[in-house]
Amino acid sequence: MTRTNEIIGMLESGIRAEILRQKVITNNVANLETPGYKRQAVKFEELLSKAIESPGKIDLDEIEAEVYQPNQTPVKSNGNDVSWESEVGEMVKNSLRHKAYVRILNKKYQQMQTAMDIKE
């Protein structure tokens, strides 16, 4: 796999992770007042970092975002630990990461197109 293909694969994995993260955030917000509901989060960046730092070939098929329960936020009297403010903040960060991945991916495709146009 060429370096360009690896970069494109990582960006595509990032986009898939941000789509999953958006769904998880939306689910958290939908359950804001559900008694006993525990918020969920998505782990991706740590997994990608480990894969990049590990020696040898990066297997992009193994880099998949994981949904987990962080259990790090204060629990309300109804047993729910979802914070509206926290989820809105996560939504904003997620949106910015998603836009960044898409813009970088578009730039890579533009570079490839430019390279093909030069050879003609």
Side-chain angles (χ1 to χ4, degrees):
M1 183 181 284
T2 67
R3 185 74 177 144
T4 298
N5 287 346
E6 283 182 5
I7 292 169
I8 289 172
M10 284 186 245
L11 291 168
E12 289 172 344
S13 292
I15 290 169
R16 283 192 303 274
E18 300 315 319
I19 290 169
L20 175 61
R21 187 173 278 129
Q22 189 66 30
K23 289 177 183 177
V24 168
I25 293 168
T26 301
N27 191 50
N28 289 341
V29 170
N31 286 287
L32 187 64
E33 297 298 326
T34 303
Y37 180 82
K38 302 292 183 201
R39 77 177 293 273
Q40 296 181 328
V42 173
K43 184 187 302 185
F44 173 72
E45 288 75 12
E46 304 88 1
L47 301 173
L48 180 61
S49 179
K50 282 182 187 178
I52 290 171
E53 292 173 3
S54 68
K57 182 183 165 193
I58 299 172
D59 188 357
L60 296 172
D61 293 330
E62 293 183 14
I63 305 172
E64 287 296 323
E66 297 175 3
V67 177
Y68 71 103
Q69 286 184 335
N71 296 321
Q72 297 174 334
T73 51
V75 178
K76 297 179 273 190
S77 62
N78 68 355
N80 184 308
D81 69 346
V82 178
S83 162
W84 170 256
E85 294 81 9
S86 176
E87 297 304 319
V88 169
E90 289 299 316
M91 199 177 299
V92 169
K93 287 192 298 188
N94 187 62
S95 177
L96 293 173
R97 277 191 302 259
H98 183 82
K99 285 179 185 178
Y101 284 137
V102 169
R103 285 182 180 163
I104 294 168
L105 186 60
N106 282 336
K107 194 58 126 175
K108 280 310 259 181
Y109 286 133
Q110 287 173 358
Q111 289 171 345
M112 292 168 57
Q113 183 64 47
T114 300
M116 288 187 287
D117 288 345
I118 292 172
K119 292 182 180 181
E120 292 182 324

